[in-house]
Each structure stands twice: as structure tokens, then as C-alpha cells.
Amino acid sequence: MRRMPELVRRQRWRAHEVDESEVLKPEWLVTNGLGGYASGTVAGPVTRRHHGLLVAALPAPLGRMVLLSHLRERVRLPDRTVGVLSSEERVGALELAGPRSLIEFRLDDGLPVWLYALGSFQLEKRVLMPHGQNTVYVRYALLRGAGMLRLTLRPSTPFRPHHAPVNQPLPGRPVVTATAGRYEITVGEALPSLRLELHAAGAAFTLDERTLQQVLYRVEERRGYESAGELWSPGYFRLDLTRDRDATLAASVESWQTLRALESATAWAAERQRRRRLIAAAAPQARDGFAAELVLAADQFIIIPVGRFEDAARLRAAGDEVRTVVAGYHWFTDWGRDTMISLEGLTLTTGRHLEARHILRTFAHYMRDGLIPNLFPEGNNEGLYHTADATLWFFHAVDRYVDLVGDSATLEFLLPTLLEIIERHLAGTCFGIGMDPKDGLLRQGAAGYQLTWMDAKVGDWIVTPRHGKAVEINALWYNALRLLEDWLIAAGDEVTGRVLHNHAELARASFNERVWYSQGGYLYDVVDGESGDDPACRPNQVLAIALRHPVLDPDRWAAVLDTVHARLLTPMGLRSLAPGHPDYKAHYDGDVRARDAAYHQGTVWAWLIGPFVDAWLRTHPHDREAAHRMLGAFPAHFAEVCIGSISEIFDADKPFTPRGCVAQAWSVAEVLRAWVKTEPQS
């Protein structure tokens, strides 16, 4: 196999000429395949409560916890001058000597690398999390300069849930123990120990407990949360760097035996090889350039959920493994809807077919009352089921898997589950979800619940309730009926297939009669809603064209697509509501209430570019070039917020400022899928 070129994404600055605000905005992210991660600003200071060098994924009821927040890094040169690579930001006082020495940040095969200029010296730093471990390695190497640098590293260890307020105190009195150069910090029996080990020349640790006061988290301040807190530090490490001796600090909740089994150099080599294999396994169009970067970004979201021991045992007994998808970093867990929408881009476009199979069979195992989970809350092994569309997206995901992989055995295994889902929807299931026998359309709605993907809720206020017969729910419903009809007939069950055929025909006829908004030339967003039929122009109508079995009559495709193109399409995806509507919000910013009020009221969603491209190619099958141009802004965005990933949402108006989660599964998945689908053919 020919050796693939290394993927490098590079940003450079001139030493001593760095705009401090410029390097405090971009963030980096490394994940471990368990839901844990390391993340922070390129400059170094923590600006979010979720930032940390080791945010470990722990079994319920703990969830993800910030165990190692950051390192205050100070360098002493041979002439005794002192430089700072990274430190915390304090309320009213910002120390950013580090960014002024930062001359380059890059991703090497998706892994972060910093380059600092300190007089005649150049110092490199790298961060790695071994796959499948709650461990982080931070490596320092002297690339240029004669003599020795003295580096001191002061770790901050908050031991708090990653979603907890930054002013949450330590859960107990920390105890530090040392054995032969290995250090453990414990804060009680309920939490794991944090293990620290430094591999370096002249390595030493000085016990010097300090509590850093009034540490500022500026993103939390802007978002209306607690933004100042304390950080406890046990002391500091000291080490010496020369050109022929690098240094690595390891921090972990794994056992010392596990850490001994995988030395840092071996861990780095193994991770680089794993990433090379990911790219080699992907679709041929995704093995270099921006698409290959998307393949590495996709890897961050596919995880083995920690702590679901009973589920894992049952699935393994059947020859499967538990797999799921983190919806977004930093604060989302695994969501059924996001997983099913993302499955094709994250696992099929990338050639990870076995993991796709595991995901589908995992969620089939979780099915209750004809529904798959909406989400698993942080630190909880039990799912919540309040969703009307996740289960219907499950049919779409199964279809894409079977079509691309040809795994008839998995389809045969899933058929009883799929049939039970439809039967429960025909009879009516939880949250008012069920088929209206008069018109065959699916209705949904229950007091206090938001059941579609437009699910913002502030207290008791559901921003977009959409109770009734929502346009995309019925597009998905019709698609599910047709898919199961075909699968059952192919399996020899023509009787049940004919029943589903009749239900589908009724739903299609009713949809085209009821959902067409003739005055606007597009589709109602909801019919039979709490306030009647809703003519709000939203992107949900695209799914009536985009799915394998489009419910909308073909003679209306062009009108709908033209409306969406003119009123909703932006360079970063589709607006969630057209400008001109009384509820339209141009910007997603401010406190929680202000943000949630805008979440689906104009805010642009990147994932919607995938269904729009599908609808475009169905309507304009020979215009792949135009479809590909619609994705043209995403490569530049890859260097804008979370370097090497795609944000969840964007402001509805120019300049389409990125907002929400800095790395979102369905954003990456749908851009990757659409990119490969529209890639010009040579």
C-alpha cells in the first residue's frame, strides 16, 4: 500500500506580534474514543468550564469530569530570563506572555502541535490521548537552540463534572502521595485517583499547594454562566530540556500497570498508525485533502460508552459491541436522532462498516415502546425517549447501511424490531405519537415535551412545540413505511407488506393534499397544529424530497427547492426560519434564554446542507458541480473555531458567526457525506 502524505493544517504568527484576542478564540480538541477529551484554546488559558487537558469519561453516576484543567508552563532560558507558554486568565488581569511567543499551531494528522520562539530557542509541544484510555500525554521537545531550558509545569486539578459551574469547590480535601517518581492525587473514595508521571531529564516534583483565585472563563461569562472560580494546584514539576532529550508528562485515571504497558513513544506511534488506517479505509474520494481531514474529525464522535456494563454483556453475548455517537463537544452526550442522521457520514463514508453495524444493533437493543432513545443524560445509563423522529431516522440509517454494505443478516436481525416500531406507531405510543387513521399521517405532541429536532426549551417554555403533523416527521414516516414494505416483501411476507403499502399510499395522498401551502409555493411546517396549519418557511420541508422515498409529488420539487434556496440557504447550511417571519432571530448570542429563543428561529444549522444537497441532486441530477460549490465555505471554517472540526450552528445573518458546540457530529458527518457525493469525477 502506498504511503499517504501527512495531513497538516497550519496556522502561523510572528513572534511578539500576536493579537491576544485572535489566539484566545480558536480551540483544539483531542478525544479518546470513550467520550473523554482534552481541549482548550490555542493560546492556553481555559475559557470554558469544559476545557481541560484530561476530561475523563467515567462510569455513572460520575460522567465526564475535569481532572486536569491545564498546566501553567514557565520556561527559564540559560541567561536566566523567564518566558511563559501558558497560564490562566484572572479576573481583571490577563497574563499572555505565552501567545506572544507562539509562532505556529498546527494539526499533524489531526493531532495538535504548538511551536514557540524563545530567544534563540524553538520549543515544540504536542498533546495526545491514547485511544480507549482516560490518559493524556503532553510532550515537549527542543527543536532549536544551544544549551538547556528549565521548564516548570504547575497542574491544576479541579475534580469537577465538566458541566458543573466553575466555582464548584473541590469535593474533598486533596491528598498527594508519591512513590518512585509517580504521584497520585485523591479527593475521596467516590472519585478515581489522578495519576501523574513525568519522563524527563532532571525531573522533580515540588509539593507546593496553591489555590489560584478568581480564574476567569471568558466564554462562560459571555454565555451568562458563572465565570470565575478557584483552581487548586498540588505543586509543580521541574525538568530540563536539551536538543537530545525531550520530556513527557502523563496524566491518567488508568492503573499504573496500564500506563507501564503503553509508554508515551509507543502510544504516539500507535495513534499515528491508527489514523493512517482510518484514512486508508475511507471512500477513495476521502483519502486526501479536506475530505481526509473530515475523516479524522468524524473519528472523534464514535465512542464506546463507558459504564454500560449490562448492555455490553448482553450485546457481546450476541457477537456485538456497544457503540454510539457523541452528538457534539463539549457538552452533548449520545443522542438517537443525531446518531442516525450521522451514521452514513461518520461510519459508511469512512469505511467503518463494523462500527455502523454495532451502532444499529446497540440502538435496536435500546428500543422501548416502539421508540429509540432521544438521549442518554450525562452520568446516566438509562435513556430518555421523548422524541418523535429519532426512531424514524433509524429506518433511514438501516437503509443506508444495508444499501452500501449489503449486510442482509443484520437486516434480517433488525426486521422484527422495525416491524414492532411501525406497529406501535400505527396503534399509538408514548407522547401522543401515532398515526391518525383518517389521513394516515403521523401526529405527535404531549404537554411539556418538545419532540422534534427543533427542541429548544427554557423552563416551561417550549420555543417551537410543533405539536400536530410536522412536515419532516411525515416525510420520515412515509419513507419508513415504504422501506419496511420493500424489506418484508423481499423476505417473503407479502401480506404485511401489502398492509404497509396501503398505509403509505394513504399517507402520501394526504400529505400532498394537506401539506402543500399553495399561497407560498412551498410546504406547511405543521398541519393540524395547536394553532392550525403553520406556514412558517423552514428547512424541514427539504426531507419531503431528499429521502430515498420522497413523499412529495415530483411536480412540486422545483418550487420547494427554489424557495429553500432563495430564503434559507447560506454558505454554512440552512436557516431554521426564513427572514421576515415575526419570530426570526438574526443572531444566536446572549444568555441561555436569548440563545434558546434563537436556536431554531433563524439560526443556521450546518447538518441541513446534507439533505439540501440530496434534494438538489434529485431535482438537478446532472448539476453536481453546483451542489459541490454549496460546500465551499467549510474548508475555511475548519481553521476558524475548533481547528479541524465544524461547529453546530451559525448566526442567521452575515457574517454567519459560528456558535454552539465547537465540534458537532452531524455537521461533520453531513458535510463529509455531501462532499464525497458531489466530488467532481475525474
Side-chain angles (χ1 to χ4, degrees):
M1 183 178 69
R2 69 180 180 88
R3 188 178 184 277
M4 298 180 185
E6 187 176 73
L7 282 173
V8 179
R9 177 167 289 272
R10 194 186 312 269
Q11 292 184 244
R12 288 177 170 152
W13 300 271
R14 286 186 164 208
H16 310 295
E17 296 181 8
V18 173
D19 180 346
E20 292 175 352
S21 63
E22 179 185 353
V23 290
L24 274 174
K25 289 179 181 178
E27 302 177 40
W28 58 273
L29 173 70
V30 178
T31 63
N32 66 356
L34 302 174
Y37 60 89
S39 183
T41 62
V42 166
V46 290
T47 60
R48 299 180 185 271
R49 58 179 144 169
H50 304 92
H51 281 162
L53 280 170
L54 179 57
V55 182
L58 303 174
L62 298 175
R64 288 173 289 187
M65 296 195 68
V66 184
L67 300 183
L68 176 60
S69 174
H70 71 293
L71 298 170
R72 172 180 272 222
E73 303 158 314
R74 292 179 177 270
V75 179
R76 192 183 72 192
L77 279 64
D79 64 3
R80 314 294 290 183
T81 60
V82 175
V84 178
L85 303 185
S86 176
S87 65
E88 67 286 340
E89 183 176 357
R90 308 291 187 93
V91 175
L94 177 60
E95 179 186 33
L96 278 178
R100 285 191 289 273
S101 63
L102 178 64
I103 60 173
E104 178 180 287
F105 176 84
R106 70 180 188 271
L107 296 180
D108 285 356
D109 282 340
L111 294 172
V113 184
W114 292 258
L115 187 62
Y116 300 92
L118 301 151
S120 61
F121 292 86
Q122 279 194 1
L123 175 64
E124 180 187 83
K125 178 175 74 173
R126 296 174 179 261
V127 172
L128 169 75
M129 296 190 85
H131 196 70
Q133 287 191 31
N134 283 307
T135 299
V136 66
Y137 295 108
V138 185
R139 186 171 74 182
Y140 302 88
L142 191 59
L143 303 185
R144 183 181 300 170
M148 181 185 72
L149 293 184
R150 170 65 55 86
L151 182 62
T152 60
L153 308 173
R154 176 176 282 278
S156 299
T157 57
F159 282 89
R160 63 167 171 79
H162 77 147
H163 58 271
V166 297
N167 60 355
Q168 178 169 305
L170 280 167
R173 174 76 177 104
V175 176
V176 181
T177 58
T179 306
R182 294 173 178 163
Y183 305 89
E184 289 193 20
I185 304 171
T186 58
V187 292
E189 295 181 358
L191 295 178
S193 297
L194 173 64
R195 297 179 173 88
L196 299 168
E197 186 174 23
L198 179 62
H199 302 275
F205 178 76
T206 300
L207 185 64
D208 179 30
E209 293 188 43
R210 290 187 184 179
T211 299
L212 310 175
Q213 305 286 343
Q214 291 293 291
V215 175
L216 176 66
Y217 298 75
R218 61 168 61 194
V219 172
E220 302 304 313
E221 182 179 43
R222 190 180 74 234
R223 290 167 59 86
Y225 297 111
E226 294 288 345
S227 59
E230 297 179 346
L231 278 176
W232 180 81
S233 174
Y236 60 88
F237 291 95
R238 184 195 68 214
L239 62 97
D240 298 327
L241 277 181
T242 59
R243 290 280 301 277
D244 59 347
R245 290 185 178 180
D246 59 14
T248 298
L249 176 68
S252 180
V253 299
E254 307 295 341
S255 67
W256 288 117
Q257 183 179 13
T258 299
L259 285 175
R260 282 196 300 268
L262 188 67
E263 295 181 351
S264 63
T266 305
W268 243 282
E271 180 61 17
R272 296 299 287 269
Q273 291 171 7
R274 191 184 74 85
R275 289 168 179 256
R276 295 281 88 195
R277 290 196 299 271
L278 291 176
I279 295 171
Q285 306 95 312
R287 293 176 187 168
D288 56 28
F290 177 58
E293 291 185 273
L294 284 166
V295 169
L296 295 182
D299 176 61
Q300 297 176 326
F301 304 101
I302 302 170
I303 69 162
I304 303 170
V306 173
R308 296 182 193 166
F309 304 116
E310 294 179 0
D311 295 337
R314 284 191 288 265
L315 284 162
R316 283 174 182 159
D320 291 312
E321 297 287 341
V322 180
R323 291 293 187 277
T324 189
V325 169
V326 168
Y329 293 96
H330 304 90
W331 50 81
F332 281 119
T333 58
D334 48 333
W335 287 60
R337 174 191 306 113
D338 301 56
T339 298
M340 297 308 141
I341 292 173
S342 301
L343 185 127
E344 182 176 358
L346 296 186
T347 64
L348 301 180
T349 305
T350 59
R352 301 173 71 159
H353 300 161
L354 181 59
E355 284 161 302
R357 174 181 180 268
H358 289 328
I359 289 169
L360 291 172
R361 291 169 71 112
T362 294
F363 274 85
H365 166 76
Y366 291 142
M367 196 266 286
R368 304 286 185 275
D369 300 315
L371 301 173
I372 67 168
N374 186 31
L375 78 153
F376 287 85
E378 188 80 48
N380 198 319
N381 288 332
E382 295 297 324
L384 302 179
Y385 286 79
H386 56 297
T387 171
D389 57 347
T391 312
L392 302 177
W393 278 111
F394 182 58
F395 284 78
H396 169 77
V398 171
D399 171 52
R400 301 311 302 135
Y401 172 77
V402 172
D403 184 60
L404 293 171
V405 180
D407 183 357
S408 57
T410 291
L411 177 59
E412 182 180 358
F413 172 83
L414 293 174
L415 270 179
T417 299
L418 297 170
L419 182 57
E420 182 181 351
I421 288 170
I422 293 298
E423 289 173 343
R424 293 304 302 262
H425 281 65
L426 290 171
T429 185
C430 308
F431 309 108
I433 301 168
M435 187 193 73
D436 184 341
K438 294 193 295 292
D439 59 15
L441 297 178
L442 201 66
R443 57 192 173 193
Q444 53 81 29
Y449 289 98
Q450 65 283 31
L451 300 176
T452 73
W453 80 275
M454 292 186 163
D455 56 1
K457 184 179 182 182
V458 185
D460 293 331
W461 174 40
I462 299 176
V463 182
T464 51
R466 305 182 72 232
H467 294 173
K469 299 165 183 173
V471 60
E472 83 282 8
I473 299 295
N474 280 284
L476 289 162
W477 170 239
Y478 174 79
N479 188 57
L481 289 170
R482 286 298 194 200
L483 288 171
L484 188 55
E485 173 195 343
D486 291 344
W487 292 331
L488 288 174
I489 290 174
D493 187 353
E494 295 189 8
V495 173
T496 309
R498 175 57 57 181
V499 171
L500 296 181
H501 174 84
N502 293 337
H503 285 305
E505 286 294 302
L506 176 59
R508 180 186 175 107
S510 299
F511 185 95
N512 284 279
E513 178 184 351
R514 300 283 319 284
V515 185
W516 176 248
Y517 178 48
S518 58
Q519 184 177 338
Y522 58 90
L523 302 182
Y524 283 110
D525 190 55
V526 178
V527 297
D528 292 348
E530 293 176 313
S531 302
D533 298 343
D534 182 7
C537 182
R538 295 187 183 275
N540 306 306
Q541 60 191 302
V542 168
L543 291 174
I545 306 171
L547 298 170
R548 176 183 289 277
H549 296 284
V551 67
L552 184 64
D553 287 343
D555 59 359
R556 290 172 173 168
W557 291 356
V560 168
L561 203 62
D562 288 347
T563 297
V564 173
H565 187 280
R567 303 183 65 186
L568 301 177
L569 181 65
T570 77
M572 309 313 302
L574 300 186
R575 294 185 179 97
S576 48
L577 181 65
H581 192 282
D583 293 332
Y584 179 78
K585 303 289 189 300
H587 303 285
Y588 176 90
D589 208 358
D591 62 16
V592 177
R593 186 177 182 86
R595 294 197 311 274
D596 282 346
Y599 205 33
H600 302 106
Q601 303 287 47
T603 297
V604 172
W605 290 76
W607 79 269
L608 290 167
I609 197 64
F612 183 80
V613 164
D614 293 334
W616 177 271
L617 292 177
R618 178 156 278 152
T619 310
H620 307 283
H622 304 298
D623 200 355
R624 294 161 54 92
E625 184 178 347
H628 198 69
R629 285 198 303 269
M630 296 170 190
L631 307 169
F634 287 103
H637 171 66
F638 234 51
E640 188 177 13
V641 180
C642 183
I643 299 177
S645 196
I646 299 178
S647 297
E648 176 190 13
I649 52 178
F650 301 79
D651 279 349
D653 285 0
K654 292 180 179 180
F656 307 112
T657 303
R659 306 287 190 183
C661 275
V662 299
Q664 193 77 2
W666 58 11
S667 298
V668 170
E670 285 297 271
V671 171
L672 171 58
R673 183 182 68 81
W675 187 277
V676 169
K677 184 173 184 175
T678 62
E679 185 80 66
Q681 296 177 338
S682 57

mmCIF file of all heavy atoms in Angstrom, residues 28-59:
data_model
loop_
_atom_site.group_PDB
_atom_site.id
_atom_site.type_symbol
_atom_site.label_atom_id
_atom_site.label_comp_id
_atom_site.label_asym_id
_atom_site.label_seq_id
_atom_site.Cartn_x
_atom_site.Cartn_y
_atom_site.Cartn_z
ATOM 1 N N TRP A 28 -8.839 23.765 20.259
ATOM 2 C CA TRP A 28 -8.382 22.464 19.757
ATOM 3 C C TRP A 28 -9.089 21.370 20.543
ATOM 4 O O TRP A 28 -9.590 21.596 21.640
ATOM 5 C CB TRP A 28 -6.862 22.335 19.871
ATOM 6 C CG TRP A 28 -6.361 22.496 21.274
ATOM 7 C CD1 TRP A 28 -6.040 23.662 21.913
ATOM 8 C CD2 TRP A 28 -6.163 21.454 22.242
ATOM 9 N NE1 TRP A 28 -5.653 23.417 23.214
ATOM 10 C CE2 TRP A 28 -5.713 22.067 23.435
ATOM 11 C CE3 TRP A 28 -6.316 20.076 22.209
ATOM 12 C CZ2 TRP A 28 -5.428 21.347 24.589
ATOM 13 C CZ3 TRP A 28 -6.026 19.341 23.367
ATOM 14 C CH2 TRP A 28 -5.581 19.986 24.533
ATOM 15 N N LEU A 29 -9.119 20.170 19.968
ATOM 16 C CA LEU A 29 -9.840 19.051 20.572
ATOM 17 C C LEU A 29 -9.144 17.745 20.233
ATOM 18 O O LEU A 29 -8.810 17.504 19.077
ATOM 19 C CB LEU A 29 -11.285 19.028 20.055
ATOM 20 C CG LEU A 29 -12.157 17.836 20.451
ATOM 21 C CD1 LEU A 29 -12.482 17.884 21.939
ATOM 22 C CD2 LEU A 29 -13.447 17.811 19.621
ATOM 23 N N VAL A 30 -8.922 16.928 21.254
ATOM 24 C CA VAL A 30 -8.435 15.563 21.079
ATOM 25 C C VAL A 30 -9.365 14.664 21.882
ATOM 26 O O VAL A 30 -9.735 15.003 23.016
ATOM 27 C CB VAL A 30 -6.988 15.408 21.587
ATOM 28 C CG1 VAL A 30 -6.526 13.961 21.438
ATOM 29 C CG2 VAL A 30 -6.049 16.334 20.845
ATOM 30 N N THR A 31 -9.753 13.528 21.334
ATOM 31 C CA THR A 31 -10.688 12.638 22.024
ATOM 32 C C THR A 31 -10.072 11.251 22.198
ATOM 33 O O THR A 31 -9.035 10.936 21.609
ATOM 34 C CB THR A 31 -12.010 12.530 21.250
ATOM 35 O OG1 THR A 31 -11.748 11.940 19.966
ATOM 36 C CG2 THR A 31 -12.638 13.907 21.051
ATOM 37 N N ASN A 32 -10.757 10.415 23.016
ATOM 38 C CA ASN A 32 -10.167 9.118 23.350
ATOM 39 C C ASN A 32 -11.032 7.917 22.984
ATOM 40 O O ASN A 32 -10.734 6.795 23.392
ATOM 41 C CB ASN A 32 -9.816 9.075 24.839
ATOM 42 C CG ASN A 32 -11.033 9.120 25.758
ATOM 43 O OD1 ASN A 32 -12.167 9.266 25.295
ATOM 44 N ND2 ASN A 32 -10.798 9.010 27.054
ATOM 45 N N GLY A 33 -12.138 8.126 22.247
ATOM 46 C CA GLY A 33 -12.983 7.003 21.857
ATOM 47 C C GLY A 33 -13.885 6.487 22.957
ATOM 48 O O GLY A 33 -14.590 5.490 22.766
ATOM 49 N N LEU A 34 -13.899 7.181 24.105
ATOM 50 C CA LEU A 34 -14.764 6.805 25.218
ATOM 51 C C LEU A 34 -15.755 7.916 25.560
ATOM 52 O O LEU A 34 -16.595 7.740 26.441
ATOM 53 C CB LEU A 34 -13.919 6.510 26.474
ATOM 54 C CG LEU A 34 -12.862 5.416 26.354
ATOM 55 C CD1 LEU A 34 -12.018 5.365 27.626
ATOM 56 C CD2 LEU A 34 -13.513 4.062 26.091
ATOM 57 N N GLY A 35 -15.628 9.051 24.895
ATOM 58 C CA GLY A 35 -16.398 10.235 25.251
ATOM 59 C C GLY A 35 -15.575 11.243 26.015
ATOM 60 O O GLY A 35 -15.982 12.396 26.187
ATOM 61 N N GLY A 36 -14.391 10.832 26.506
ATOM 62 C CA GLY A 36 -13.478 11.757 27.162
ATOM 63 C C GLY A 36 -12.708 12.570 26.139
ATOM 64 O O GLY A 36 -12.650 12.223 24.957
ATOM 65 N N TYR A 37 -12.083 13.644 26.608
ATOM 66 C CA TYR A 37 -11.389 14.519 25.658
ATOM 67 C C TYR A 37 -10.383 15.401 26.378
ATOM 68 O O TYR A 37 -10.370 15.516 27.611
ATOM 69 C CB TYR A 37 -12.395 15.394 24.898
ATOM 70 C CG TYR A 37 -13.228 16.305 25.775
ATOM 71 C CD1 TYR A 37 -12.784 17.581 26.107
ATOM 72 C CD2 TYR A 37 -14.466 15.898 26.264
ATOM 73 C CE1 TYR A 37 -13.544 18.419 26.916
ATOM 74 C CE2 TYR A 37 -15.234 16.731 27.067
ATOM 75 C CZ TYR A 37 -14.767 17.988 27.387
ATOM 76 O OH TYR A 37 -15.520 18.812 28.193
ATOM 77 N N ALA A 38 -9.529 16.029 25.592
ATOM 78 C CA ALA A 38 -8.674 17.132 26.010
ATOM 79 C C ALA A 38 -8.978 18.282 25.077
ATOM 80 O O ALA A 38 -9.117 18.083 23.860
ATOM 81 C CB ALA A 38 -7.195 16.746 25.924
ATOM 82 N N SER A 39 -9.091 19.477 25.620
ATOM 83 C CA SER A 39 -9.470 20.612 24.784
ATOM 84 C C SER A 39 -9.112 21.909 25.486
ATOM 85 O O SER A 39 -9.064 21.973 26.718
ATOM 86 C CB SER A 39 -10.973 20.575 24.476
ATOM 87 O OG SER A 39 -11.354 21.629 23.618
ATOM 88 N N GLY A 40 -8.880 22.936 24.698
ATOM 89 C CA GLY A 40 -8.582 24.251 25.247
ATOM 90 C C GLY A 40 -8.426 25.268 24.139
ATOM 91 O O GLY A 40 -8.731 24.988 22.973
ATOM 92 N N THR A 41 -7.961 26.433 24.498
ATOM 93 C CA THR A 41 -7.671 27.444 23.487
ATOM 94 C C THR A 41 -6.270 27.218 22.948
ATOM 95 O O THR A 41 -5.397 26.661 23.625
ATOM 96 C CB THR A 41 -7.765 28.856 24.083
ATOM 97 O OG1 THR A 41 -6.778 28.998 25.128
ATOM 98 C CG2 THR A 41 -9.143 29.136 24.648
ATOM 99 N N VAL A 42 -6.046 27.682 21.726
ATOM 100 C CA VAL A 42 -4.709 27.614 21.155
ATOM 101 C C VAL A 42 -3.718 28.366 22.040
ATOM 102 O O VAL A 42 -2.576 27.946 22.239
ATOM 103 C CB VAL A 42 -4.716 28.183 19.719
ATOM 104 C CG1 VAL A 42 -3.308 28.446 19.214
ATOM 105 C CG2 VAL A 42 -5.435 27.212 18.782
ATOM 106 N N ALA A 43 -4.163 29.478 22.620
ATOM 107 C CA ALA A 43 -3.291 30.293 23.457
ATOM 108 C C ALA A 43 -2.958 29.626 24.778
ATOM 109 O O ALA A 43 -1.914 29.904 25.359
ATOM 110 C CB ALA A 43 -3.950 31.645 23.727
ATOM 111 N N GLY A 44 -3.831 28.775 25.271
ATOM 112 C CA GLY A 44 -3.561 28.093 26.525
ATOM 113 C C GLY A 44 -4.549 28.347 27.634
ATOM 114 O O GLY A 44 -4.993 27.404 28.295
ATOM 115 N N PRO A 45 -4.942 29.604 27.936
ATOM 116 C CA PRO A 45 -5.880 29.840 29.027
ATOM 117 C C PRO A 45 -7.214 29.132 28.810
ATOM 118 O O PRO A 45 -7.711 29.056 27.679
ATOM 119 C CB PRO A 45 -6.068 31.365 29.019
ATOM 120 C CG PRO A 45 -4.818 31.893 28.419
ATOM 121 C CD PRO A 45 -4.421 30.878 27.384
ATOM 122 N N VAL A 46 -7.783 28.605 29.897
ATOM 123 C CA VAL A 46 -9.112 27.997 29.810
ATOM 124 C C VAL A 46 -10.135 29.117 29.689
ATOM 125 O O VAL A 46 -10.071 30.118 30.396
ATOM 126 C CB VAL A 46 -9.406 27.124 31.036
ATOM 127 C CG1 VAL A 46 -8.542 25.877 31.030
ATOM 128 C CG2 VAL A 46 -9.197 27.899 32.335
ATOM 129 N N THR A 47 -11.073 28.976 28.771
ATOM 130 C CA THR A 47 -12.129 29.974 28.608
ATOM 131 C C THR A 47 -13.516 29.366 28.775
ATOM 132 O O THR A 47 -14.501 30.090 28.835
ATOM 133 C CB THR A 47 -12.043 30.644 27.222
ATOM 134 O OG1 THR A 47 -12.182 29.647 26.205
ATOM 135 C CG2 THR A 47 -10.718 31.378 27.053
ATOM 136 N N ARG A 48 -13.596 28.038 28.839
ATOM 137 C CA ARG A 48 -14.861 27.339 29.054
ATOM 138 C C ARG A 48 -14.738 26.446 30.282
ATOM 139 O O ARG A 48 -13.652 25.944 30.587
ATOM 140 C CB ARG A 48 -15.218 26.447 27.858
ATOM 141 C CG ARG A 48 -15.397 27.150 26.535
ATOM 142 C CD ARG A 48 -15.743 26.126 25.466
ATOM 143 N NE ARG A 48 -15.816 26.715 24.143
ATOM 144 C CZ ARG A 48 -16.924 27.247 23.619
ATOM 145 N NH1 ARG A 48 -18.045 27.230 24.331
ATOM 146 N NH2 ARG A 48 -16.925 27.763 22.405
ATOM 147 N N ARG A 49 -15.851 26.188 30.939
ATOM 148 C CA ARG A 49 -15.847 25.227 32.049
ATOM 149 C C ARG A 49 -15.491 23.836 31.558
ATOM 150 O O ARG A 49 -15.030 22.989 32.331
ATOM 151 C CB ARG A 49 -17.196 25.227 32.756
ATOM 152 C CG ARG A 49 -18.375 24.905 31.857
ATOM 153 C CD ARG A 49 -19.686 24.893 32.627
ATOM 154 N NE ARG A 49 -20.783 25.416 31.820
ATOM 155 C CZ ARG A 49 -22.051 25.318 32.165
ATOM 156 N NH1 ARG A 49 -22.384 24.721 33.283
ATOM 157 N NH2 ARG A 49 -22.995 25.825 31.413
ATOM 158 N N HIS A 50 -15.729 23.572 30.263
ATOM 159 C CA HIS A 50 -15.473 22.238 29.712
ATOM 160 C C HIS A 50 -14.023 22.034 29.298
ATOM 161 O O HIS A 50 -13.650 20.914 28.936
ATOM 162 C CB HIS A 50 -16.375 22.015 28.488
ATOM 163 C CG HIS A 50 -17.827 22.197 28.769
ATOM 164 N ND1 HIS A 50 -18.466 23.410 28.592
ATOM 165 C CD2 HIS A 50 -18.766 21.347 29.237
ATOM 166 C CE1 HIS A 50 -19.741 23.286 28.915
ATOM 167 N NE2 HIS A 50 -19.950 22.050 29.306
ATOM 168 N N HIS A 51 -13.209 23.080 29.301
ATOM 169 C CA HIS A 51 -11.825 22.919 28.882
ATOM 170 C C HIS A 51 -11.028 22.115 29.908
ATOM 171 O O HIS A 51 -11.244 22.226 31.115
ATOM 172 C CB HIS A 51 -11.167 24.288 28.692
ATOM 173 C CG HIS A 51 -11.519 24.953 27.403
ATOM 174 N ND1 HIS A 51 -11.344 26.298 27.180
ATOM 175 C CD2 HIS A 51 -12.044 24.452 26.254
ATOM 176 C CE1 HIS A 51 -11.752 26.606 25.962
ATOM 177 N NE2 HIS A 51 -12.177 25.496 25.381
ATOM 178 N N GLY A 52 -10.094 21.337 29.416
ATOM 179 C CA GLY A 52 -9.222 20.578 30.297
ATOM 180 C C GLY A 52 -8.280 19.712 29.502
ATOM 181 O O GLY A 52 -8.589 19.301 28.378
ATOM 182 N N LEU A 53 -7.115 19.443 30.077
ATOM 183 C CA LEU A 53 -6.174 18.533 29.438
ATOM 184 C C LEU A 53 -6.573 17.078 29.637
ATOM 185 O O LEU A 53 -6.217 16.210 28.848
ATOM 186 C CB LEU A 53 -4.766 18.768 29.979
ATOM 187 C CG LEU A 53 -4.023 19.960 29.382
ATOM 188 C CD1 LEU A 53 -2.744 20.234 30.153
ATOM 189 C CD2 LEU A 53 -3.717 19.734 27.905
ATOM 190 N N LEU A 54 -7.303 16.806 30.727
ATOM 191 C CA LEU A 54 -7.849 15.462 30.915
ATOM 192 C C LEU A 54 -9.273 15.589 31.426
ATOM 193 O O LEU A 54 -9.509 15.845 32.609
ATOM 194 C CB LEU A 54 -7.006 14.639 31.895
ATOM 195 C CG LEU A 54 -7.530 13.225 32.174
ATOM 196 C CD1 LEU A 54 -7.657 12.407 30.881
ATOM 197 C CD2 LEU A 54 -6.642 12.499 33.183
ATOM 198 N N VAL A 55 -10.227 15.450 30.504
ATOM 199 C CA VAL A 55 -11.636 15.361 30.855
ATOM 200 C C VAL A 55 -11.997 13.890 30.662
ATOM 201 O O VAL A 55 -12.210 13.431 29.535
ATOM 202 C CB VAL A 55 -12.507 16.286 29.993
ATOM 203 C CG1 VAL A 55 -13.968 16.205 30.429
ATOM 204 C CG2 VAL A 55 -12.008 17.731 30.079
ATOM 205 N N ALA A 56 -11.997 13.161 31.762
ATOM 206 C CA ALA A 56 -12.126 11.708 31.711
ATOM 207 C C ALA A 56 -13.589 11.293 31.643
ATOM 208 O O ALA A 56 -14.447 11.883 32.303
ATOM 209 C CB ALA A 56 -11.461 11.084 32.934
ATOM 210 N N ALA A 57 -13.879 10.272 30.850
ATOM 211 C CA ALA A 57 -15.220 9.686 30.772
ATOM 212 C C ALA A 57 -15.291 8.563 31.800
ATOM 213 O O ALA A 57 -14.608 7.546 31.671
ATOM 214 C CB ALA A 57 -15.487 9.153 29.372
ATOM 215 N N LEU A 58 -16.122 8.751 32.821
ATOM 216 C CA LEU A 58 -16.188 7.828 33.949
ATOM 217 C C LEU A 58 -17.571 7.192 34.034
ATOM 218 O O LEU A 58 -18.559 7.782 33.583
ATOM 219 C CB LEU A 58 -15.867 8.573 35.248
ATOM 220 C CG LEU A 58 -14.504 9.281 35.268
ATOM 221 C CD1 LEU A 58 -14.354 10.112 36.530
ATOM 222 C CD2 LEU A 58 -13.370 8.267 35.148
ATOM 223 N N PRO A 59 -17.678 5.997 34.618
ATOM 224 C CA PRO A 59 -18.985 5.326 34.724
ATOM 225 C C PRO A 59 -19.978 6.139 35.541
ATOM 226 O O PRO A 59 -19.603 6.965 36.387
ATOM 227 C CB PRO A 59 -18.641 4.001 35.416
ATOM 228 C CG PRO A 59 -17.190 3.791 35.171
ATOM 229 C CD PRO A 59 -16.577 5.153 35.135
#
